[in-house]
Amino acid sequence: MSAVPVSTPRTSMASSIAIVGVLFFILGFFTWLNGPLITFVQLAFQVTEISAFLVLMVFYLSYFFLAIPASWILRRTGMKKGLALSLAVMAIGAAAFGQFATWRIFPGALASLFVLGGGMALLQTSVNPYISILGPIETAARRIALMGICNKIAGILAPLLLGSLVLHGVGDLAAEVAQADPVTREALLSGFAGGIRGFYLVMFGILVVAAVAVLMSPLPEISAESANSAPGAASDDRKSIFQFPHLWLGVICLFLYVGVEVMAGDAIGTYGHAFGLPLDQTKFFTSFTLFAMLVGYVIGLLLIPRFISQEKYLAVSAVLGVVFTLGAFFTKGYVSVGFVAALGFANAMMWPAIFPLAIRGLGRFTQTGSALLVMGIAGGAIVPQAFALFKHAYPEHFQLGFAALMVPCYLYILYFGTVGHNAGKARGA
């Protein structure tokens, strides 16, 4: 079930993995900018916390609306041109966001994030199945874990860079803005908002260079139909994507997983600020979660599949998610925030396990199945927004709202890791 011919040199696969690793680094950098962007948007645009969480909603909803069109585009362009196109679309979104943020036009900034997310939807739709079937599907979690390390290193750097270069002194500025007269307030906010333009222009340049580099790279094309067929099964005899129940259960699983991942990574600053912790500290909390995820990836890389299968590790991770969520609920302040950050460790190996388990044996339906899974990333829009609404309505019970959202998600992930990924196996795999 290997996607790579036996005669393919190891150096060729290594170079392909390295190139894909760079793409996952880019994905991670822009994905994990969203946490500190909530703080930036709330101050720069003077909007409510619920409105600021629209940053997450529009970004992740773009995956839902654009993943299927992305799969159509990839069928026409092929993988390499599709990857280059995705980076170009991301570059346009990044440049537009920097400009609209400088002008302090909130709808324009949100639309730019939607475009940026659209480019990432195209990138995710191609790069995840590619790395999954680049080698044996049974060891896909190891390769995706390696990609996750690249992703989370970028995720650690992103909030640190944005926090240091753009959000420096944001707590003092917020207090100053609150006490200023209207004219002075506008001047302060315009200066603060304008500081993000240069940051995103640099990102624009990097993405353009990356798009050209990918187009000229030696990445091979891989046929998902031949690479991801179920052994001895008639995946080609199935006439519809609806005949793969494990895929649809996986879509739900990925939806809930991305929801809890974004809650632990992007909403942790808002969670900590609800305890009264200062903005100049909470803007860096996302990096703590991502450091925990990085540790989780390294451990998963060492254990899978030599000591534990990817599906069993997924089940263990789900149990840890429940335990850490309850730890956050029953504690306060920095200790509670520490438990939320520890969820990064529990979440680390979930995507690397869910994605290959869900697309396993899809054959000619692999691209469509991958697009459906990428649509599941919309969980990052829905679950955090539900938390923001609950927190606004019941601010004194925000920990209860956090736990009530997270625990059921982890329990479903536990179900998929133990039972759900086998649905339809007797007939298909």
Side-chain angles (χ1 to χ4, degrees):
M1 200 177 328
S2 175
V4 181
V6 181
S7 59
T8 301
R10 283 186 174 271
T11 53
S12 177
M13 182 181 285
S15 64
S16 297
I17 289 175
I19 294 168
V20 175
V22 172
L23 297 178
F24 271 89
F25 184 94
I26 292 172
L27 282 170
F29 193 90
F30 282 95
T31 298
W32 297 109
L33 279 176
N34 290 322
L37 270 185
I38 294 172
T39 301
F40 170 83
V41 162
Q42 191 169 0
L43 180 58
F45 296 100
Q46 291 291 280
V47 295
T48 65
E49 191 174 79
I50 292 176
S51 295
F53 265 71
L54 289 175
V55 165
L56 300 179
M57 177 162 277
V58 300
F59 183 85
Y60 287 104
L61 279 181
S62 65
Y63 287 94
F64 179 81
F65 290 110
L66 300 176
I68 293 294
S71 69
W72 299 337
I73 291 171
L74 288 169
R75 286 195 189 99
R76 296 183 65 87
T77 63
M79 195 204 67
K80 187 181 295 187
K81 290 181 180 177
L83 291 175
L85 177 61
S86 68
L87 294 168
V89 173
M90 289 173 64
I92 294 170
F97 178 81
Q99 190 60 60
F100 280 115
T102 299
W103 290 337
R104 294 179 59 215
I105 301 176
F106 191 44
L110 292 178
S112 302
L113 287 175
F114 188 85
V115 173
L116 181 60
M120 293 179 68
L122 180 58
L123 184 56
Q124 291 267 28
T125 303
S126 57
V127 79
N128 280 288
Y130 183 84
I131 194 66
S132 295
I133 60 179
L134 187 61
I137 199 76
E138 293 81 6
T139 58
R142 284 177 55 85
R143 293 188 298 281
I144 300 179
L146 189 59
M147 298 302 101
I149 291 173
C150 299
N151 185 282
K152 295 312 177 285
I153 288 175
I156 292 171
L157 291 175
L160 292 177
L161 287 174
L162 190 65
S164 300
L165 298 176
V166 178
L167 299 179
H168 179 69
V170 66
D172 294 336
L173 178 63
E176 193 176 350
V177 166
Q179 298 173 2
D181 61 82
V183 176
T184 304
R185 182 185 301 116
E186 285 302 305
L188 289 171
L189 292 175
S190 294
F192 172 66
I196 206 167
R197 184 183 181 188
F199 184 89
Y200 272 85
L201 281 178
V202 171
M203 297 301 104
F204 167 80
I206 291 173
L207 287 168
V208 170
V209 170
V212 175
V214 166
L215 205 56
M216 301 174 64
S217 73
L219 276 176
E221 292 287 351
I222 292 178
S223 170
E225 181 174 353
S226 60
N228 190 33
S229 301
S235 64
D236 287 344
D237 291 343
R238 305 199 200 187
K239 307 301 182 184
S240 169
I241 194 74
F242 293 101
Q243 294 176 281
F244 297 90
H246 73 285
L247 167 67
W248 294 97
L249 294 174
V251 170
I252 297 171
C253 190
L254 204 69
F255 178 93
L256 298 176
Y257 158 70
V258 176
V260 297
E261 182 190 51
V262 173
M263 285 282 283
D266 287 332
I268 186 173
T270 301
Y271 183 92
H273 188 58
F275 285 116
L277 304 180
L279 287 175
D280 284 320
Q281 293 180 14
T282 61
K283 67 184 181 184
F284 293 121
F285 283 176
T286 294
S287 292
F288 300 153
T289 301
L290 296 179
F291 179 78
M293 290 193 82
L294 184 60
V295 174
Y297 275 122
V298 172
I299 291 178
L301 194 62
L302 294 174
L303 295 181
I304 299 174
R306 184 177 179 184
F307 298 104
I308 186 172
S309 67
Q310 52 196 17
E311 50 267 39
K312 287 182 180 178
Y313 200 98
L314 176 60
V316 171
S317 297
V319 172
L320 284 177
V322 173
V323 172
F324 292 153
T325 299
L326 293 177
F329 177 70
F330 288 112
T331 56
K332 302 291 182 183
Y334 288 107
V335 176
S336 183
V337 170
F339 274 112
V340 175
L343 286 171
F345 179 85
N347 294 340
M349 290 302 296
M350 289 186 177
W351 179 289
I354 294 168
F355 204 95
L357 287 174
I359 68 168
R360 187 171 187 172
L362 295 189
R364 61 194 174 93
F365 295 105
T366 297
Q367 273 191 324
T368 304
S370 299
L372 290 169
L373 287 165
V374 169
M375 288 175 69
I377 294 177
I382 305 304
V383 178
Q385 190 68 17
F387 172 67
L389 291 170
F390 184 95
K391 182 177 176 294
H392 178 76
Y394 308 100
E396 69 278 11
H397 299 300
F398 72 94
Q399 285 181 278
L400 175 61
F402 186 89
L405 285 168
M406 301 288 274
V407 170
C409 292
Y410 283 120
L411 291 177
Y412 182 88
I413 294 169
L414 176 62
Y415 158 75
F416 183 76
T418 53
V419 178
H421 72 277
N422 278 321
K425 277 285 179 69
R427 179 184 161 196

